[in-house]
Amino acid sequence: MLNVQLSSHREMLPAETADQKLFVMLKLRPTNEASAAKPSTTFVFLIDTSGSMYEVVAGDRKPTGKTLTMDGQKYSEVVGGKTKIDIVIESLLTLIRSSKLDENDKVAIVQFADEATILAGLTPATQISKLESAIKRLRDFSGGTVMGEGMRQTLDIFSNQQGMASRRTLIFTDGQTFDEKDCKELARTFAAQNIPITALGVGDYKEDLLIDLSDESGGRLFHVVGKNPAGTQVSIESLPKEIIEEFSRAQRDVITNLGLTVKTVKGVDLIRVLRAYPDQAEFSIGKAPHIIGNASANDETVFILEFNIASRQASRARIAQIGLTYDVPGQNRRGELQPQNLIVQFTSDQGGITQVDQEVMDYMQQCNIANIVGQATKIADKEPQKAQELLETAHRMTVRIGNKELMESLGNAQDELRKTQKISSGTRKTIKMGSKGKTVRMGGDINNELSDDQIREASGT
């Protein structure tokens, strides 16, 4: 059901050397049989309905000359055009009226402002009129932003679900929530139940919170802008297309509930677990098994495991065992990868330790770009020259890897920093969210690279 490849960035490490890093690539790809078994899909849309969602952001609009105050913010009144909530409603209606959903798909709608309300519990996607009524009710709410209560209501919805399914939550918000700490704590429950959070932010949201929610749960990130998107940005007018694609992505999660178990020997510690492709996430390391999300049909999913290794004598040694469990919801069955030994040669031969697996390093470098961007944005106001150097490093790495959208976003940020000695809020969101987003696939197709015997050996079948 699942083809697996393990590769270290080095097969040899220097002996008698303390505090060494070893990066191990865990590459997964569902078999053709698994890819053909479409899973049942459960998707909860958690929508911000606070007062700022009624801001006009698209279409032809004419100012009336009046000023309105809503939720403590002043807005210039206009007529015509589309508000954020209009476009969200249009996007959800487009999804449920499309041909992309069937009787195996279930949808729920939850709103949050000062309070949260379940507008539609888990509803078969074929009950279009019921879902339409719930979606149109999104206009009935306003107030502040309390996302945590909406996340609790979402978890309540999932708690009533029976059987295996691909599960996902999409959060759309345009403001800063009052209960950020609660949201972060709740994200750990989403992670434990393998419910990835796709977070879309537009306007004055706090990007670090959305990054935390996405990382913790193994989800995705989008920075949404009103018009003229550049690089990794997404136009709010393209929201219908993006929401359909997110639902389609959940439908392609034919392997779910990946549980990673790593048993290390004395002197070896697992310190990070990253998803490097098709987009990035950094998972918390708690009690095993570590829940690391899902694997999509007809594509690879790549993780990087980072180990810290204490000094060892020259020898060929097993430093860890790596195992996996997973669900195949389309076939209602569980699968397992028997523990695989991770072997490293510790040597005093300097020639051997210079050889590196470039594919592993390319994926690790893509994850490093996000860290470099985070450092640059953090110090930009006080140390613009140092931030410029960091962004140049991230840009060079991105050029070499070939991520064109991120190259454009980083180039724009460098130009802005050079001219103004600052990074604006919108640009900061763009590069921080974008550097955690879609990555570039490296190497070849695992299904073509491995022989039948190698696949059987790697998968334990």
Short mmCIF file of all heavy atoms in Angstrom, two decimals, residues 214-279:
data_model
loop_
_atom_site.label_atom_id
_atom_site.label_comp_id
_atom_site.label_asym_id
_atom_site.label_seq_id
_atom_site.Cartn_x
_atom_site.Cartn_y
_atom_site.Cartn_z
N SER A 214 -0.80 25.58 11.57
CA SER A 214 -0.51 24.74 10.42
C SER A 214 0.61 23.75 10.72
O SER A 214 0.52 22.56 10.40
CB SER A 214 -0.14 25.61 9.22
OG SER A 214 0.25 24.83 8.12
N ASP A 215 1.70 24.23 11.33
CA ASP A 215 2.82 23.36 11.68
C ASP A 215 2.38 22.24 12.60
O ASP A 215 2.67 21.06 12.37
CB ASP A 215 3.92 24.16 12.38
CG ASP A 215 5.00 24.65 11.42
OD1 ASP A 215 4.95 24.28 10.23
OD2 ASP A 215 5.88 25.40 11.85
N GLU A 216 1.70 22.62 13.67
CA GLU A 216 1.32 21.65 14.70
C GLU A 216 0.46 20.53 14.11
O GLU A 216 0.62 19.36 14.46
CB GLU A 216 0.57 22.36 15.83
CG GLU A 216 0.25 21.47 17.02
CD GLU A 216 1.49 21.15 17.85
OE1 GLU A 216 2.28 22.05 18.14
OE2 GLU A 216 1.64 19.96 18.22
N SER A 217 -0.43 20.89 13.20
CA SER A 217 -1.39 19.91 12.68
C SER A 217 -0.97 19.30 11.35
O SER A 217 -1.65 18.42 10.83
CB SER A 217 -2.76 20.58 12.50
OG SER A 217 -2.69 21.60 11.51
N GLY A 218 0.15 19.78 10.78
CA GLY A 218 0.58 19.27 9.47
C GLY A 218 -0.26 19.80 8.34
O GLY A 218 -0.51 19.10 7.35
N GLY A 219 -0.70 21.06 8.44
CA GLY A 219 -1.57 21.64 7.42
C GLY A 219 -0.84 22.49 6.41
O GLY A 219 0.35 22.27 6.12
N ARG A 220 -1.54 23.48 5.85
CA ARG A 220 -0.99 24.34 4.81
C ARG A 220 -1.30 25.80 5.13
O ARG A 220 -2.16 26.10 5.96
CB ARG A 220 -1.58 23.99 3.44
CG ARG A 220 -1.37 22.56 3.02
CD ARG A 220 -1.93 22.33 1.63
NE ARG A 220 -1.07 22.90 0.61
CZ ARG A 220 -1.48 23.25 -0.61
NH1 ARG A 220 -2.76 23.14 -0.93
NH2 ARG A 220 -0.64 23.73 -1.50
N LEU A 221 -0.60 26.72 4.42
CA LEU A 221 -0.73 28.15 4.68
C LEU A 221 -0.92 28.93 3.40
O LEU A 221 -0.32 28.60 2.37
CB LEU A 221 0.56 28.67 5.35
CG LEU A 221 0.82 28.26 6.79
CD1 LEU A 221 2.28 28.51 7.14
CD2 LEU A 221 -0.09 29.01 7.75
N PHE A 222 -1.73 30.01 3.48
CA PHE A 222 -1.91 30.91 2.34
C PHE A 222 -2.01 32.34 2.85
O PHE A 222 -2.75 32.62 3.79
CB PHE A 222 -3.20 30.58 1.57
CG PHE A 222 -3.19 29.25 0.88
CD1 PHE A 222 -3.67 28.12 1.52
CD2 PHE A 222 -2.68 29.12 -0.41
CE1 PHE A 222 -3.67 26.89 0.89
CE2 PHE A 222 -2.67 27.90 -1.05
CZ PHE A 222 -3.16 26.77 -0.40
N HIS A 223 -1.25 33.24 2.22
CA HIS A 223 -1.41 34.67 2.47
C HIS A 223 -2.27 35.23 1.35
O HIS A 223 -1.87 35.22 0.18
CB HIS A 223 -0.06 35.37 2.52
CG HIS A 223 -0.16 36.86 2.65
ND1 HIS A 223 -0.93 37.47 3.63
CD2 HIS A 223 0.36 37.87 1.91
CE1 HIS A 223 -0.85 38.78 3.50
NE2 HIS A 223 -0.08 39.06 2.45
N VAL A 224 -3.46 35.71 1.69
CA VAL A 224 -4.45 36.16 0.71
C VAL A 224 -4.40 37.69 0.63
O VAL A 224 -4.36 38.37 1.65
CB VAL A 224 -5.87 35.69 1.11
CG1 VAL A 224 -6.89 36.11 0.07
CG2 VAL A 224 -5.88 34.17 1.29
N VAL A 225 -4.40 38.21 -0.59
CA VAL A 225 -4.38 39.67 -0.80
C VAL A 225 -5.60 40.08 -1.61
O VAL A 225 -6.22 39.26 -2.30
CB VAL A 225 -3.09 40.12 -1.51
CG1 VAL A 225 -1.87 39.84 -0.64
CG2 VAL A 225 -2.94 39.44 -2.87
N GLY A 226 -5.92 41.38 -1.54
CA GLY A 226 -7.12 41.88 -2.21
C GLY A 226 -7.00 41.87 -3.72
O GLY A 226 -7.93 41.51 -4.43
N LYS A 227 -5.85 42.26 -4.24
CA LYS A 227 -5.69 42.31 -5.69
C LYS A 227 -4.21 42.26 -6.03
O LYS A 227 -3.34 42.41 -5.18
CB LYS A 227 -6.31 43.58 -6.26
CG LYS A 227 -5.78 44.87 -5.65
CD LYS A 227 -6.49 46.09 -6.21
CE LYS A 227 -5.98 47.38 -5.56
NZ LYS A 227 -6.67 48.58 -6.09
N ASN A 228 -3.92 42.04 -7.31
CA ASN A 228 -2.56 42.03 -7.84
C ASN A 228 -1.62 41.12 -7.04
O ASN A 228 -0.61 41.58 -6.49
CB ASN A 228 -1.98 43.45 -7.89
CG ASN A 228 -2.82 44.38 -8.74
OD1 ASN A 228 -3.36 43.97 -9.77
ND2 ASN A 228 -2.94 45.64 -8.32
N PRO A 229 -1.92 39.82 -6.93
CA PRO A 229 -1.03 38.93 -6.19
C PRO A 229 0.32 38.80 -6.88
O PRO A 229 0.42 38.88 -8.10
CB PRO A 229 -1.79 37.60 -6.20
CG PRO A 229 -2.62 37.65 -7.45
CD PRO A 229 -3.02 39.10 -7.59
N ALA A 230 1.37 38.62 -6.07
CA ALA A 230 2.71 38.42 -6.61
C ALA A 230 3.37 37.28 -5.86
O ALA A 230 3.15 37.09 -4.67
CB ALA A 230 3.53 39.71 -6.46
N GLY A 231 4.20 36.53 -6.57
CA GLY A 231 4.95 35.45 -5.93
C GLY A 231 4.04 34.43 -5.29
O GLY A 231 3.18 33.84 -5.93
N THR A 232 4.21 34.23 -3.98
CA THR A 232 3.47 33.19 -3.27
C THR A 232 2.09 33.67 -2.78
O THR A 232 1.37 32.90 -2.15
CB THR A 232 4.28 32.72 -2.05
OG1 THR A 232 4.58 33.85 -1.22
CG2 THR A 232 5.57 32.06 -2.48
N GLN A 233 1.74 34.93 -3.03
CA GLN A 233 0.45 35.44 -2.58
C GLN A 233 -0.71 34.81 -3.37
O GLN A 233 -0.53 34.34 -4.49
CB GLN A 233 0.40 36.97 -2.76
CG GLN A 233 1.39 37.73 -1.92
CD GLN A 233 1.42 39.21 -2.27
OE1 GLN A 233 0.95 39.63 -3.33
NE2 GLN A 233 1.98 40.01 -1.38
N VAL A 234 -1.89 34.83 -2.76
CA VAL A 234 -3.12 34.33 -3.40
C VAL A 234 -4.13 35.46 -3.44
O VAL A 234 -4.35 36.13 -2.42
CB VAL A 234 -3.70 33.13 -2.60
CG1 VAL A 234 -5.07 32.73 -3.15
CG2 VAL A 234 -2.74 31.95 -2.67
N SER A 235 -4.73 35.71 -4.58
CA SER A 235 -5.75 36.74 -4.69
C SER A 235 -7.05 36.25 -4.07
O SER A 235 -7.46 35.10 -4.28
CB SER A 235 -5.99 37.10 -6.16
OG SER A 235 -7.17 37.87 -6.30
N ILE A 236 -7.72 37.14 -3.34
CA ILE A 236 -8.99 36.75 -2.75
C ILE A 236 -10.03 36.41 -3.82
O ILE A 236 -10.93 35.60 -3.60
CB ILE A 236 -9.53 37.84 -1.79
CG1 ILE A 236 -10.63 37.28 -0.89
CG2 ILE A 236 -9.99 39.07 -2.55
CD1 ILE A 236 -11.01 38.17 0.26
N GLU A 237 -9.89 37.00 -5.00
CA GLU A 237 -10.83 36.68 -6.08
C GLU A 237 -10.63 35.26 -6.63
O GLU A 237 -11.51 34.73 -7.29
CB GLU A 237 -10.68 37.72 -7.20
CG GLU A 237 -11.16 39.11 -6.77
CD GLU A 237 -11.14 40.12 -7.90
OE1 GLU A 237 -10.03 40.53 -8.29
OE2 GLU A 237 -12.22 40.48 -8.39
N SER A 238 -9.45 34.67 -6.36
CA SER A 238 -9.22 33.28 -6.79
C SER A 238 -9.59 32.29 -5.69
O SER A 238 -9.32 31.09 -5.82
CB SER A 238 -7.75 33.09 -7.19
OG SER A 238 -6.91 33.15 -6.05
N LEU A 239 -10.23 32.78 -4.62
CA LEU A 239 -10.57 31.92 -3.49
C LEU A 239 -11.44 30.72 -3.89
O LEU A 239 -11.22 29.61 -3.38
CB LEU A 239 -11.25 32.74 -2.40
CG LEU A 239 -11.19 32.17 -0.99
CD1 LEU A 239 -9.76 31.97 -0.53
CD2 LEU A 239 -11.93 33.09 -0.02
N PRO A 240 -12.45 30.89 -4.78
CA PRO A 240 -13.23 29.70 -5.16
C PRO A 240 -12.34 28.58 -5.69
O PRO A 240 -12.50 27.41 -5.30
CB PRO A 240 -14.18 30.24 -6.23
CG PRO A 240 -14.34 31.69 -5.90
CD PRO A 240 -13.00 32.13 -5.39
N LYS A 241 -11.40 28.91 -6.54
CA LYS A 241 -10.50 27.89 -7.11
C LYS A 241 -9.62 27.27 -6.02
O LYS A 241 -9.42 26.04 -6.01
CB LYS A 241 -9.62 28.53 -8.19
CG LYS A 241 -8.58 27.61 -8.81
CD LYS A 241 -7.85 28.29 -9.93
CE LYS A 241 -6.88 29.33 -9.42
NZ LYS A 241 -5.70 28.75 -8.74
N GLU A 242 -9.12 28.09 -5.10
CA GLU A 242 -8.23 27.58 -4.06
C GLU A 242 -8.98 26.64 -3.11
O GLU A 242 -8.44 25.63 -2.67
CB GLU A 242 -7.61 28.74 -3.27
CG GLU A 242 -6.70 29.64 -4.07
CD GLU A 242 -5.47 28.93 -4.60
OE1 GLU A 242 -5.09 27.88 -4.03
OE2 GLU A 242 -4.88 29.43 -5.57
N ILE A 243 -10.22 26.98 -2.78
CA ILE A 243 -10.99 26.14 -1.87
C ILE A 243 -11.34 24.80 -2.52
O ILE A 243 -11.28 23.74 -1.87
CB ILE A 243 -12.24 26.90 -1.38
CG1 ILE A 243 -11.82 27.94 -0.33
CG2 ILE A 243 -13.29 25.95 -0.80
CD1 ILE A 243 -12.95 28.74 0.26
N ILE A 244 -11.66 24.83 -3.79
CA ILE A 244 -11.91 23.57 -4.50
C ILE A 244 -10.65 22.71 -4.51
O ILE A 244 -10.70 21.49 -4.29
CB ILE A 244 -12.42 23.84 -5.93
CG1 ILE A 244 -13.86 24.36 -5.88
CG2 ILE A 244 -12.34 22.59 -6.79
CD1 ILE A 244 -14.43 24.76 -7.23
N GLU A 245 -9.50 23.34 -4.73
CA GLU A 245 -8.23 22.60 -4.74
C GLU A 245 -7.93 22.01 -3.37
O GLU A 245 -7.44 20.88 -3.26
CB GLU A 245 -7.09 23.51 -5.19
CG GLU A 245 -5.70 22.90 -5.06
CD GLU A 245 -5.53 21.55 -5.76
OE1 GLU A 245 -6.22 21.31 -6.78
OE2 GLU A 245 -4.73 20.73 -5.27
N GLU A 246 -8.23 22.74 -2.30
CA GLU A 246 -7.99 22.21 -0.96
C GLU A 246 -8.87 21.00 -0.68
O GLU A 246 -8.43 20.03 -0.06
CB GLU A 246 -8.23 23.29 0.10
CG GLU A 246 -7.07 24.23 0.29
CD GLU A 246 -5.78 23.50 0.60
OE1 GLU A 246 -5.65 22.92 1.68
OE2 GLU A 246 -4.88 23.51 -0.27
N PHE A 247 -10.12 21.05 -1.14
CA PHE A 247 -10.98 19.89 -0.95
C PHE A 247 -10.47 18.71 -1.78
O PHE A 247 -10.44 17.57 -1.32
CB PHE A 247 -12.43 20.22 -1.35
CG PHE A 247 -13.44 19.33 -0.69
CD1 PHE A 247 -14.17 19.76 0.40
CD2 PHE A 247 -13.64 18.02 -1.12
CE1 PHE A 247 -15.09 18.92 1.03
CE2 PHE A 247 -14.55 17.18 -0.52
CZ PHE A 247 -15.28 17.63 0.58
N SER A 248 -10.04 19.00 -3.01
CA SER A 248 -9.50 17.94 -3.87
C SER A 248 -8.27 17.32 -3.24
O SER A 248 -8.03 16.12 -3.36
CB SER A 248 -9.16 18.50 -5.25
OG SER A 248 -10.32 18.98 -5.90
N ARG A 249 -7.48 18.14 -2.58
CA ARG A 249 -6.29 17.63 -1.91
C ARG A 249 -6.66 16.63 -0.82
O ARG A 249 -6.02 15.57 -0.68
CB ARG A 249 -5.49 18.79 -1.32
CG ARG A 249 -4.19 18.40 -0.65
CD ARG A 249 -3.53 19.63 -0.03
NE ARG A 249 -2.32 19.27 0.68
CZ ARG A 249 -1.11 19.21 0.15
NH1 ARG A 249 -0.96 19.49 -1.14
NH2 ARG A 249 -0.06 18.88 0.87
N ALA A 250 -7.69 16.96 -0.05
CA ALA A 250 -8.15 16.02 0.98
C ALA A 250 -8.63 14.72 0.35
O ALA A 250 -8.41 13.63 0.91
CB ALA A 250 -9.26 16.66 1.80
N GLN A 251 -9.27 14.81 -0.80
CA GLN A 251 -9.73 13.61 -1.50
C GLN A 251 -8.57 12.75 -2.00
O GLN A 251 -8.75 11.55 -2.21
CB GLN A 251 -10.63 14.01 -2.67
CG GLN A 251 -11.96 14.62 -2.27
CD GLN A 251 -12.75 15.12 -3.46
OE1 GLN A 251 -12.18 15.68 -4.41
NE2 GLN A 251 -14.05 14.92 -3.43
N ARG A 252 -7.40 13.36 -2.18
CA ARG A 252 -6.23 12.61 -2.64
C ARG A 252 -5.43 12.00 -1.49
O ARG A 252 -4.45 11.29 -1.73
CB ARG A 252 -5.32 13.52 -3.48
CG ARG A 252 -5.94 14.01 -4.77
CD ARG A 252 -4.89 14.61 -5.70
NE ARG A 252 -4.25 15.80 -5.16
CZ ARG A 252 -4.69 17.04 -5.34
NH1 ARG A 252 -5.81 17.25 -6.04
NH2 ARG A 252 -4.05 18.07 -4.83
N ASP A 253 -5.82 12.28 -0.25
CA ASP A 253 -5.10 11.72 0.90
C ASP A 253 -5.52 10.26 1.11
O ASP A 253 -6.33 9.95 1.99
CB ASP A 253 -5.38 12.54 2.16
CG ASP A 253 -4.60 13.84 2.20
OD1 ASP A 253 -3.63 13.97 1.43
OD2 ASP A 253 -4.96 14.73 2.99
N VAL A 254 -4.96 9.39 0.29
CA VAL A 254 -5.36 7.98 0.32
C VAL A 254 -4.66 7.20 1.43
O VAL A 254 -5.08 6.10 1.79
CB VAL A 254 -5.09 7.31 -1.04
CG1 VAL A 254 -5.97 7.94 -2.12
CG2 VAL A 254 -3.62 7.42 -1.45
N ILE A 255 -3.58 7.76 1.97
CA ILE A 255 -2.93 7.21 3.16
C ILE A 255 -3.05 8.27 4.26
O ILE A 255 -2.66 9.42 4.07
CB ILE A 255 -1.43 6.92 2.92
CG1 ILE A 255 -1.25 5.90 1.78
CG2 ILE A 255 -0.76 6.44 4.20
CD1 ILE A 255 -1.75 4.51 2.09
N THR A 256 -3.63 7.90 5.40
CA THR A 256 -3.86 8.87 6.46
C THR A 256 -3.31 8.36 7.79
O THR A 256 -2.93 7.19 7.93
CB THR A 256 -5.36 9.18 6.62
OG1 THR A 256 -6.04 7.97 7.03
CG2 THR A 256 -5.97 9.68 5.31
N ASN A 257 -3.28 9.26 8.76
CA ASN A 257 -2.92 8.90 10.13
C ASN A 257 -1.56 8.22 10.22
O ASN A 257 -1.38 7.22 10.92
CB ASN A 257 -4.00 7.97 10.73
CG ASN A 257 -4.05 8.06 12.24
OD1 ASN A 257 -3.77 9.10 12.82
ND2 ASN A 257 -4.41 6.97 12.88
N LEU A 258 -0.58 8.80 9.51
CA LEU A 258 0.78 8.26 9.56
C LEU A 258 1.32 8.39 10.98
O LEU A 258 1.35 9.48 11.54
CB LEU A 258 1.68 9.03 8.59
CG LEU A 258 1.50 8.74 7.10
CD1 LEU A 258 2.12 9.85 6.26
CD2 LEU A 258 2.12 7.39 6.74
N GLY A 259 1.75 7.27 11.54
CA GLY A 259 2.32 7.26 12.89
C GLY A 259 3.77 6.84 12.83
O GLY A 259 4.07 5.70 12.45
N LEU A 260 4.67 7.73 13.17
CA LEU A 260 6.11 7.48 13.09
C LEU A 260 6.65 7.09 14.46
O LEU A 260 6.45 7.79 15.44
CB LEU A 260 6.83 8.75 12.59
CG LEU A 260 8.36 8.76 12.63
CD1 LEU A 260 8.91 7.79 11.59
CD2 LEU A 260 8.89 10.17 12.41
N THR A 261 7.37 5.96 14.51
CA THR A 261 8.04 5.53 15.73
C THR A 261 9.53 5.46 15.46
O THR A 261 9.97 4.82 14.50
CB THR A 261 7.53 4.15 16.18
OG1 THR A 261 6.13 4.23 16.44
CG2 THR A 261 8.24 3.70 17.45
N VAL A 262 10.32 6.14 16.29
CA VAL A 262 11.77 6.15 16.15
C VAL A 262 12.37 5.75 17.49
O VAL A 262 12.16 6.42 18.51
CB VAL A 262 12.29 7.54 15.74
CG1 VAL A 262 13.81 7.52 15.60
CG2 VAL A 262 11.65 7.99 14.43
N LYS A 263 13.13 4.65 17.49
CA LYS A 263 13.82 4.20 18.69
C LYS A 263 15.31 4.38 18.47
O LYS A 263 15.89 3.77 17.57
CB LYS A 263 13.49 2.73 18.98
CG LYS A 263 12.02 2.51 19.35
CD LYS A 263 11.75 1.06 19.71
CE LYS A 263 10.29 0.86 20.12
NZ LYS A 263 10.00 -0.56 20.47
N THR A 264 15.93 5.24 19.27
CA THR A 264 17.35 5.54 19.10
C THR A 264 18.19 4.82 20.15
O THR A 264 17.69 4.46 21.23
CB THR A 264 17.60 7.05 19.21
OG1 THR A 264 17.14 7.51 20.49
CG2 THR A 264 16.86 7.80 18.11
N VAL A 265 19.48 4.63 19.85
CA VAL A 265 20.40 4.03 20.81
C VAL A 265 20.96 5.14 21.69
O VAL A 265 20.74 6.34 21.45
CB VAL A 265 21.55 3.29 20.09
CG1 VAL A 265 21.00 2.20 19.19
CG2 VAL A 265 22.41 4.26 19.27
N LYS A 266 21.68 4.77 22.71
CA LYS A 266 22.26 5.74 23.64
C LYS A 266 23.19 6.70 22.90
O LYS A 266 24.00 6.28 22.06
CB LYS A 266 23.03 5.01 24.74
CG LYS A 266 23.57 5.94 25.82
CD LYS A 266 24.28 5.15 26.92
CE LYS A 266 24.82 6.09 27.99
NZ LYS A 266 25.52 5.34 29.08
N GLY A 267 23.06 7.98 23.20
CA GLY A 267 23.91 8.98 22.57
C GLY A 267 23.34 9.52 21.26
O GLY A 267 23.98 10.36 20.62
N VAL A 268 22.15 9.07 20.88
CA VAL A 268 21.50 9.55 19.64
C VAL A 268 20.11 10.07 20.01
O VAL A 268 19.35 9.38 20.70
CB VAL A 268 21.39 8.43 18.59
CG1 VAL A 268 20.66 8.92 17.35
CG2 VAL A 268 22.77 7.89 18.23
N ASP A 269 19.80 11.27 19.57
CA ASP A 269 18.51 11.87 19.89
C ASP A 269 17.84 12.37 18.62
O ASP A 269 18.48 13.03 17.78
CB ASP A 269 18.68 13.06 20.85
CG ASP A 269 19.21 12.64 22.20
OD1 ASP A 269 18.59 11.76 22.83
OD2 ASP A 269 20.25 13.18 22.62
N LEU A 270 16.55 12.07 18.48
CA LEU A 270 15.74 12.67 17.42
C LEU A 270 15.30 14.04 17.90
O LEU A 270 14.64 14.17 18.93
CB LEU A 270 14.51 11.80 17.14
CG LEU A 270 13.49 12.36 16.14
CD1 LEU A 270 14.08 12.43 14.73
CD2 LEU A 270 12.21 11.53 16.14
N ILE A 271 15.68 15.11 17.16
CA ILE A 271 15.40 16.46 17.66
C ILE A 271 14.38 17.21 16.80
O ILE A 271 13.76 18.16 17.28
CB ILE A 271 16.68 17.30 17.81
CG1 ILE A 271 17.44 17.40 16.48
CG2 ILE A 271 17.59 16.70 18.87
CD1 ILE A 271 18.64 18.33 16.55
N ARG A 272 14.18 16.81 15.56
CA ARG A 272 13.18 17.49 14.73
C ARG A 272 12.59 16.51 13.73
O ARG A 272 13.27 15.61 13.23
CB ARG A 272 13.81 18.64 13.92
CG ARG A 272 14.31 19.81 14.72
CD ARG A 272 15.04 20.81 13.85
NE ARG A 272 14.14 21.66 13.09
CZ ARG A 272 14.51 22.39 12.05
NH1 ARG A 272 15.76 22.34 11.61
NH2 ARG A 272 13.65 23.17 11.42
N VAL A 273 11.30 16.71 13.43
CA VAL A 273 10.62 15.99 12.35
C VAL A 273 9.95 17.04 11.46
O VAL A 273 9.07 17.78 11.92
CB VAL A 273 9.57 15.00 12.88
CG1 VAL A 273 8.86 14.31 11.71
CG2 VAL A 273 10.21 13.95 13.79
N LEU A 274 10.37 17.11 10.22
CA LEU A 274 9.88 18.11 9.27
C LEU A 274 9.22 17.43 8.09
O LEU A 274 9.66 16.36 7.65
CB LEU A 274 11.04 18.96 8.73
CG LEU A 274 11.97 19.61 9.75
CD1 LEU A 274 13.23 20.09 9.05
CD2 LEU A 274 11.27 20.77 10.42
N ARG A 275 8.15 18.03 7.57
CA ARG A 275 7.67 17.64 6.24
C ARG A 275 8.29 18.63 5.26
O ARG A 275 8.16 19.84 5.42
CB ARG A 275 6.15 17.69 6.15
CG ARG A 275 5.64 17.13 4.81
CD ARG A 275 4.13 17.13 4.73
NE ARG A 275 3.60 18.49 4.77
CZ ARG A 275 2.47 18.85 5.38
NH1 ARG A 275 1.76 17.96 6.01
NH2 ARG A 275 2.06 20.10 5.36
N ALA A 276 8.96 18.11 4.24
CA ALA A 276 9.69 18.96 3.30
C ALA A 276 9.01 19.06 1.94
O ALA A 276 9.30 19.98 1.18
CB ALA A 276 11.11 18.42 3.10
N TYR A 277 8.13 18.14 1.60
CA TYR A 277 7.41 18.16 0.33
C TYR A 277 6.10 17.37 0.49
O TYR A 277 6.09 16.38 1.20
CB TYR A 277 8.27 17.51 -0.78
CG TYR A 277 7.57 17.44 -2.11
CD1 TYR A 277 7.60 18.53 -2.99
CD2 TYR A 277 6.85 16.30 -2.50
CE1 TYR A 277 6.93 18.46 -4.21
CE2 TYR A 277 6.18 16.25 -3.71
CZ TYR A 277 6.23 17.33 -4.56
OH TYR A 277 5.56 17.28 -5.76
N PRO A 278 5.00 17.86 -0.11
CA PRO A 278 4.85 18.92 -1.11
C PRO A 278 4.79 20.34 -0.53
O PRO A 278 4.78 21.31 -1.26
CB PRO A 278 3.54 18.57 -1.80
CG PRO A 278 2.75 17.86 -0.76
CD PRO A 278 3.73 17.09 0.05
N ASP A 279 4.69 20.45 0.79
CA ASP A 279 4.78 21.74 1.47
C ASP A 279 5.36 21.46 2.85
O ASP A 279 5.56 20.31 3.23
CB ASP A 279 3.42 22.45 1.55
CG ASP A 279 2.29 21.49 1.80
OD1 ASP A 279 2.41 20.68 2.73
OD2 ASP A 279 1.29 21.52 1.07
#
